[in-house]
Amino acid sequence: MDPVLVTGGCGFIGSNFIRYLLTTDPEISVINFDQLTYAGNLANLADLADHPRYRFVHGDIADRTAVRRVVSAGVRAILNFAAESHVDRSIHDSSPFIRTNVLGTQVLLDAAREFGVPRFLQVSTDEVYGSLGETGLFTEETPLAPNSPYSASKAAGDLLVRSYVHTFKLPAVITRCSNNYGPYQFPEKLIPLFITNLLADQPVPVYGDGLNVRDWIHVRDHCAALDLVWRHGRVGEVYNIGGRCEKTNLELTYTLLDILNKPRSLIRFVKDRPGHDRRYAIDCSKIERELGWRPRIPFIEGLRETVQWYIDHPEWVASIRTGEYLRYYEKQYGRLAC
Ligand code: NAD
Ligand code: TYD
């Protein structure tokens, strides 16, 4: 059988997903197509680099020639994880977000259409729905109201997918998940940044009043949901995925300090993120009802396991903190990752 094409497989969720696929499905083979930006780390899949059913291809999803080359050889699905994914970076410079999240999605959709790929999964985010007040949940019918350049670029990608389903009958599905945590997350996002700072006895920057709410899900629960959706989701449908686990940033910070036995004096309240969404919370009853999925990893267990993972992988953290992995890419690929 043809391989599945996973884009962005060297990132946090993509690498967890490839590991999930190769360990749960003895028949599947995977091509990981990744540009190796600052967020892509070959070390995330180092243990699988020589796996007989795994192949890495270095490439940019916005590069039509490179994408056509890999898709024309035959793939049974395109699972699109590749993205610029950090809100703060999108506030600083939105250009790479438009290129990858919008143009890149278009290039993948065109290739899927041209070569008749039987399945397309767009891995998206609850952030496309904007921000909630103190009550209510995002459903699949909530209107799109993205507030950051990141979420706007993801919403644009989602709408392109929708249009290709409608206009060209492309067999695509979209997922929108809440905030993930777990091993291999790049230490610029809240949880890994705070864990790695605390391990080094450095302060942790809490934006604004720390009362913004996120709905946390362990990355393995997300991977299990994605695996069901790309195989069994109904064409043209959107599936929300969430952890049913709302926490304020401050609550979460206190929990991390407690797990690591560090003092609250390490908290620094800093200037708020511009346009900072107040609350995200997901109604995931549709995927529960239709595909029998539910989040299984209790938050405190998942968080303790995640903290332990960062404790157990000091070389992984150090390579990122010193930029060593980028120097390797420069040597290997003749350029600095962006
Ligand atoms: P990440 O930033 O950790 O990884 C992104 C990966 O994409 C990296 O390996 C990077 O090298 C690769 N990439 C970037 N631009 C590329 C390009 N032009 N061509 C090929 N590869 C490219 O991101 P993540 O947290 O793993 O998120 C994966 C997907 O899930 C994204 O689409 C994101 O929007 C979505 N998502 C993330 C979360 C979350 O909490 N992290 C929640 C919901 C949805
Ligand atoms: P983040 O991990 O960047 O995810 P997102 O913005 O996509 O939800 O941030 C999670 C929450 O934590 C968000 O409300 C912003 C906040 N935050 C901080 O307070 N300090 C930080 O240093 C970071 C990175 C985030």
Side-chain angles (χ1 to χ4, degrees):
M1 201 180 293
D2 286 335
V4 294
L5 180 67
V6 171
T7 69
C10 291
F12 164 47
I13 305 174
S15 61
N16 276 283
F17 183 75
I18 289 175
R19 183 168 288 103
Y20 181 92
L21 270 187
L22 289 173
T23 50
T24 55
D25 182 343
E27 306 292 321
I28 207 149
S29 53
V30 179
I31 298 173
N32 172 13
F33 185 89
D34 196 297
Q35 193 189 4
L36 296 177
T37 69
Y38 78 94
N41 195 339
L42 283 172
N44 293 0
L45 289 169
D47 53 323
L48 296 172
D50 298 322
H51 192 288
R53 291 181 282 116
Y54 170 76
R55 183 158 72 92
F56 173 67
V57 176
H58 178 231
D60 173 0
I61 61 166
D63 175 347
R64 207 168 275 276
T65 309
V67 167
R68 288 184 78 252
R69 191 179 308 125
V70 73
V71 176
S72 63
V75 298
R76 65 189 269 208
I78 296 177
L79 313 179
N80 183 27
F81 292 74
E84 288 295 332
S85 70
H86 191 42
V87 173
D88 293 327
R89 285 180 188 255
S90 80
I91 294 168
H92 181 67
D93 177 10
S94 59
S95 304
F97 290 74
I98 304 306
R99 178 177 159 79
T100 292
N101 303 359
V102 186
L103 276 177
T105 302
Q106 181 215 10
V107 167
L108 292 173
L109 288 165
D110 282 341
R113 197 181 147 220
E114 179 180 357
F115 298 104
V117 176
R119 202 73 169 157
F120 190 102
L121 171 70
Q122 175 72 355
V123 180
S124 190
T125 164
D126 61 353
E127 301 191 28
V128 297
Y129 296 123
S131 185
L132 289 165
E134 277 178 21
T135 58
L137 300 171
F138 296 132
T139 73
E140 288 81 358
E141 275 71 50
T142 302
L144 301 190
N147 288 320
S148 71
Y150 162 64
S151 53
S153 67
K154 290 296 291 185
D158 288 13
L159 291 177
L160 279 171
V161 174
R162 177 190 151 91
S163 76
Y164 276 59
V165 173
H166 188 80
T167 306
F168 305 116
K169 307 286 172 262
L170 194 87
V173 279
I174 297 172
T175 55
R176 296 191 179 133
C177 189
S178 61
N179 286 61
N180 284 222
Y181 70 97
Y184 301 101
Q185 187 169 28
F186 193 85
E188 64 182 350
K189 306 279 167 63
L190 179 101
I191 289 182
L193 177 72
F194 282 21
I195 295 172
T196 51
N197 277 12
L198 292 173
L199 286 174
D201 286 315
Q202 289 168 356
V204 290
V206 173
Y207 296 163
D209 59 9
L211 298 180
N212 302 66
V213 172
R214 296 294 184 263
D215 174 356
W216 292 98
I217 181 172
H218 194 282
V219 65
R220 279 201 304 278
D221 276 332
H222 185 194
C223 290
L226 293 172
D227 198 33
L228 284 170
V229 173
W230 83 266
R231 292 173 198 269
H232 307 295
R234 284 184 293 135
V235 168
E237 293 293 314
V238 173
Y239 292 91
N240 282 353
I241 303 166
R244 295 188 187 283
C245 177
E246 291 182 49
K247 303 275 175 218
T248 65
N249 293 337
L250 206 49
E251 231 179 311
L252 176 52
T253 305
Y254 289 153
T255 310
L256 287 173
L257 288 166
D258 289 347
I259 294 174
L260 283 159
N261 205 15
K262 301 286 179 184
R264 290 193 179 184
S265 56
L266 284 172
I267 296 178
R268 297 284 182 281
F269 287 95
V270 299
K271 194 166 167 294
D272 207 357
R273 170 188 283 173
H276 195 176
D277 283 337
R278 193 64 173 169
R279 176 171 165 259
Y280 302 144
I282 277 273
D283 175 348
C284 52
S285 54
K286 177 174 173 181
I287 185 174
E288 291 182 340
R289 204 173 48 247
E290 284 192 20
L291 300 178
W293 172 89
R294 49 191 40 74
R296 296 193 187 279
I297 302 177
F299 184 66
I300 191 65
E301 276 177 34
L303 198 62
R304 282 185 196 284
E305 178 214 281
T306 303
V307 169
Q308 195 57 48
W309 188 87
Y310 284 90
I311 293 172
D312 292 342
H313 292 80
E315 332 71 40
W316 186 91
V317 175
S319 157
I320 290 175
R321 287 199 151 202
T322 59
E324 185 192 317
Y325 75 119
L326 294 177
R327 287 193 286 281
Y328 170 78
Y329 293 169
E330 190 181 24
K331 248 196 259 153
Q332 192 77 4
Y333 301 105
R335 57 134 189 81
L336 262 185
C338 24

